[in-house]
Amino acid sequence: MDLDAVTKQSALHAKPDGLTLQYGTAGFRTKAEHLDHVMFRMGLLAVLRSKQTKSTIGVMVTASHNPEEDNGVKLVDPLGEMLAPSWEDHATCLANAEEQDLPRVLVDIGEKAAVNLHQDAFVVIGRDTRPSSEKLSQSVIDGVTVLGGQFHDYGLLTTPQLHYMVYCRNTSGQYGKATIEGYYQKLSAAFVELTKQASCSGDDQRTLKVDCANGIGALKLREMKHYFSQGLSVQLFNDGTKGKLNHLCGADFVKSHQKPPQGIEMKSHERCCSFDGDADRIVYYYHDADGQFHLVDGDKIAALISSFLKEPLLEIGDSLSLGVVQTAYANGSSTRYLEEVMKVPVYCTKTGVKHLHHKAQEFDIGVYFEANGHGTVLFSKAAEMKIKQLAKELEEDKKRKAAKMLENVIDLFNQATGDAISDMLVIEAILALKGLTVQQWDALYTDLPNRQLKVKVADRQVISTTDAERQAVTPPGLQEAINELVKKYRLSRAFVRPSGTEDIVRVYAEADSQENADSLAYEVSLAVFQLAGGIGERPQPVNITRNLEL
């Protein structure tokens, strides 16, 4: 490790005084102008991680659904998964090191992680369409090259596409071909094969309007759509030619404001969906005959997919385990539908994709989606081999068809991470195969009315939780107060959890009517304010205008 060269090069990517950043689930995210030193240092870290794992590592330059002025970076581990927790700590340490301490911190990480510095390193890099992304990805490359790492710059990619490239390269092409054409061909071939069994029911069934959040998803979907055009026609909106990234559009906007994005014309009963800025989240929605807006979120996506998977699994008669993983934010109606109607086991984890992904890996087939539309389906290696074997060997036509269907589903999911394009194709294939309209899908169950609020506190660490964040352990008396408030309303529940990044406490409440959900959320917010050191304005009763600003 040439520490003199690192010091010289680092001076060209100097860290601003007093800036401290934390590597979280989404990597680093902040204003783009504060990130040059972080990008350079993540190039360094990616080389060390590559040497330690003897694998290709990915670096993605994106801030996902954040405003266009922001940017961010996250590292991708060998099987396309998120960076290991111990290396998140290394990332935070390296990003925050003062210039003079950088060589020492690098050496420390190498020693702590037992990195063989003579091992070759290979890093792949992708970026989104933000104006700042090209220059910042060059800073990553500077970090990689100064430590002698080799690299391939894929340029513009969705975040899930970079995860796919990393997975392909580390499985010697067994998972797929590590090119953008390889990605398009793999997913499209599985989609076309899967939808062959669908009975045609008019063109209107097979057209989808897609809000691309003025982001990278538009570019990639435009390149890809001719690969599957026989099975599905997609119309792109907010495609980046006019509007700003994530501004009044995208999955996060639609989910949080419960209304359609700007820039899309919706007729009643038309199927529409929104990606987020880096195309790793998707939500669906439509207008009914009365012009009422209906959101079909990640909970309903999980319900559709798991109920679809259950049928061929029963048909092939193999005892592969199927489980759905949710967080406390999943609507209570979705949990009841899965457990009581579909008889599918449901498990709850802490908020954050890494917790869901980890739990989903415990099943032969693990389905996970956050309500915000981020999720996928994971097939264990054993389940994958078993299904592919059955697709070849089963003699009875119906059973073989079921196994073949599952084989196509395996190929259609990006198993490395949540992927809006892949999820969209899975959903469209299922709707076509089942002959379902978006309204029929939405009617699987009715969401319980709910409300989310925030309470400012002096110190968020006053609140600690257990039972997948559904019960408050501290401060004393808070959980008891919540329990008493919940008893006042039908079909109700509520929980509180500290934000991971700022001194606020998030409050979630659910009840049999919107009025009751609003009242419960307000009363729980008051309890948090009083018992957990609230600051600023006391919580006020909810009204609709105020809610839209939250």
Side-chain angles (χ1 to χ4, degrees):
M1 195 155 45
D2 186 345
L3 295 177
D4 287 341
V6 170
T7 303
K8 265 189 203 150
Q9 194 59 241
S10 183
L12 304 175
H13 302 280
K15 173 183 174 290
D17 284 343
L19 181 68
T20 310
L21 296 168
Q22 176 81 29
Y23 193 104
T25 302
F28 291 112
R29 274 189 208 168
T30 188
K31 292 275 172 275
E33 62 266 25
H34 299 322
L35 280 166
D36 182 45
H37 72 292
V38 174
M39 297 294 173
F40 172 72
R41 294 170 183 205
M42 289 309 100
L44 302 175
L45 192 72
V47 169
L48 294 183
R49 182 67 173 151
S50 175
K51 287 174 182 286
Q52 193 227 18
T53 58
K54 303 189 174 112
S55 306
T56 296
I57 294 296
V59 180
M60 184 70 201
V61 178
T62 182
S64 188
H65 55 275
N66 279 35
E68 189 169 273
E69 306 74 55
D70 292 358
N71 217 320
V73 58
K74 53 184 170 185
L75 271 65
V76 179
D77 254 0
L79 294 180
E81 72 274 58
M82 296 164 82
L83 186 62
S86 59
W87 280 76
E88 287 185 7
D89 295 341
H90 295 325
T92 299
C93 221
L94 192 59
N96 294 326
E98 297 305 330
E99 283 298 322
Q100 68 274 17
D101 299 329
L102 186 66
R104 179 184 57 76
V105 173
L106 264 181
V107 169
D108 280 356
I109 292 169
E111 287 173 358
K112 274 183 194 157
V115 176
N116 174 4
L117 297 174
H118 301 295
Q119 178 69 36
D120 289 340
F122 198 87
V123 177
V124 292
I125 299 147
R127 66 176 192 271
D128 71 11
T129 54
R130 289 162 200 272
S132 58
S133 289
E134 188 168 3
K135 186 171 179 296
L136 290 174
S137 67
Q138 185 54 53
S139 302
V140 174
I141 291 167
D142 291 350
V144 172
T145 51
V146 77
L147 277 189
Q150 300 294 304
F151 71 93
H152 179 80
D153 181 10
Y154 278 101
L156 292 165
L157 283 184
T158 71
T159 297
Q161 285 171 344
L162 185 77
H163 284 255
Y164 166 89
M165 302 302 175
V166 173
Y167 198 3
C168 290
R169 282 174 177 269
N170 289 318
T171 51
S172 310
Q174 283 178 314
Y175 182 67
K177 206 170 160 192
T179 63
I180 197 67
E181 288 77 20
Y183 172 91
Y184 294 155
Q185 285 162 357
K186 180 182 179 182
L187 268 62
S188 301
F191 173 76
V192 170
E193 193 58 41
L194 194 53
T195 50
K196 270 182 188 169
Q197 297 174 42
S199 55
C200 286
S201 50
D203 284 347
D204 61 334
Q205 273 296 103
R206 312 307 297 281
T207 300
L208 176 65
K209 289 186 167 178
V210 186
D211 155 35
C212 299
N214 290 313
I216 182 68
L219 246 72
K220 296 301 162 186
L221 200 49
R222 189 179 291 114
E223 288 174 3
M224 185 182 184
K225 64 182 188 175
H226 72 271
Y227 284 87
F228 56 74
S229 54
Q230 283 172 307
L232 176 67
S233 163
V234 292
Q235 296 173 6
L236 308 188
F237 296 85
N238 297 318
D239 64 355
T241 51
K242 292 196 288 282
K244 273 181 85 172
L245 176 70
N246 295 323
H247 182 60
L248 303 177
C249 60
D252 201 56
F253 173 85
V254 173
K255 169 76 178 154
S256 55
H257 289 80
Q258 302 276 317
K259 65 179 185 182
Q262 284 195 2
I264 191 167
E265 291 169 24
M266 288 172 67
K267 296 186 186 127
S268 63
H269 303 310
E270 276 187 329
R271 217 166 51 257
C272 305
C273 70
S274 284
F275 293 178
D276 69 337
D278 64 340
D280 67 355
R281 291 183 188 185
I282 184 169
V283 294
Y284 272 69
Y285 45 92
Y286 66 96
H287 273 148
D288 64 22
D290 299 324
Q292 180 79 29
F293 175 79
H294 294 260
L295 177 71
V296 186
D297 65 6
D299 293 344
K300 284 227 164 105
I301 294 172
L304 178 76
I305 290 169
S306 46
S307 52
F308 171 76
L309 289 172
K310 198 161 180 214
E311 286 178 37
L313 283 171
L314 286 171
E315 184 61 53
I316 62 173
D318 201 84
S319 56
L320 294 171
S321 63
L322 170 68
V324 178
V325 188
Q326 297 183 327
T327 71
Y329 285 107
N331 195 278
S333 290
S334 73
T335 313
R336 270 190 286 278
Y337 171 79
L338 287 163
E339 288 183 332
E340 294 168 19
V341 180
M342 293 312 305
K343 308 287 188 232
V344 173
V346 178
Y347 298 84
C348 190
T349 70
K350 286 169 72 174
T351 306
V353 179
K354 60 184 174 188
H355 302 298
L356 290 149
H357 194 92
H358 184 69
K359 186 69 184 173
Q361 288 173 319
E362 294 178 14
F363 305 96
D364 293 319
I365 304 167
V367 180
Y368 75 84
F369 275 85
E370 291 183 289
N372 64 24
H374 187 288
T376 190
V377 176
L378 302 178
F379 290 81
S380 71
K381 274 280 160 271
E384 198 175 320
M385 284 166 67
K386 184 84 184 189
I387 287 164
K388 293 194 170 182
Q389 186 185 353
L390 290 170
K392 282 196 192 99
E393 292 176 2
L394 284 171
E395 288 178 13
E396 194 190 321
D397 193 41
K398 214 172 164 195
K399 284 184 185 291
R400 191 169 64 249
K401 251 187 185 171
K404 190 73 192 148
M405 189 182 280
L406 287 168
E407 187 178 24
N408 288 322
V409 171
I410 290 169
D411 288 339
L412 192 41
F413 271 111
N414 184 343
Q415 290 186 60
T417 187
D419 181 339
I421 293 176
S422 155
D423 293 342
M424 176 192 82
L425 291 174
V426 171
I427 291 162
E428 291 301 314
I430 294 172
L431 294 178
L433 285 162
K434 306 285 275 180
L436 289 174
T437 64
V438 68
Q439 298 90 318
Q440 288 167 324
W441 169 22
D442 188 29
L444 287 178
Y445 61 83
T446 304
D447 274 331
L448 281 167
N450 57 83
R451 176 69 67 215
Q452 294 186 44
L453 296 175
K454 299 175 191 172
V455 182
K456 279 189 179 176
V457 291
D459 177 11
R460 67 182 183 274
Q461 292 179 340
V462 165
I463 294 212
S464 61
T465 63
T466 186
D467 187 24
E469 301 176 315
R470 291 176 291 190
Q471 297 279 318
V473 178
T474 60
L478 178 58
Q479 188 57 50
E480 289 75 10
I482 293 170
N483 294 346
E484 287 306 311
L485 293 168
V486 164
K487 283 178 191 170
K488 291 166 58 178
Y489 302 96
R490 284 192 64 246
L491 299 174
S492 63
R493 68 184 182 102
F495 66 89
V496 300
R497 55 179 286 271
S499 161
T501 53
E502 49 190 325
D503 282 322
I504 59 170
V505 176
R506 301 186 188 280
V507 173
Y508 179 93
E510 209 172 71
D512 61 338
S513 71
Q514 191 62 59
E515 192 182 348
N516 285 345
D518 291 349
S519 295
L520 179 56
Y522 161 63
E523 290 170 352
V524 171
S525 298
L526 265 184
V528 169
F529 191 87
Q530 287 159 356
L531 295 168
I535 56 171
E537 189 190 349
R538 285 169 72 80
Q540 299 296 310
V542 175
N543 64 54
I544 295 303
T545 324
R546 192 169 157 273
N547 171 55
L548 289 180
E549 293 163 2
L550 289 174

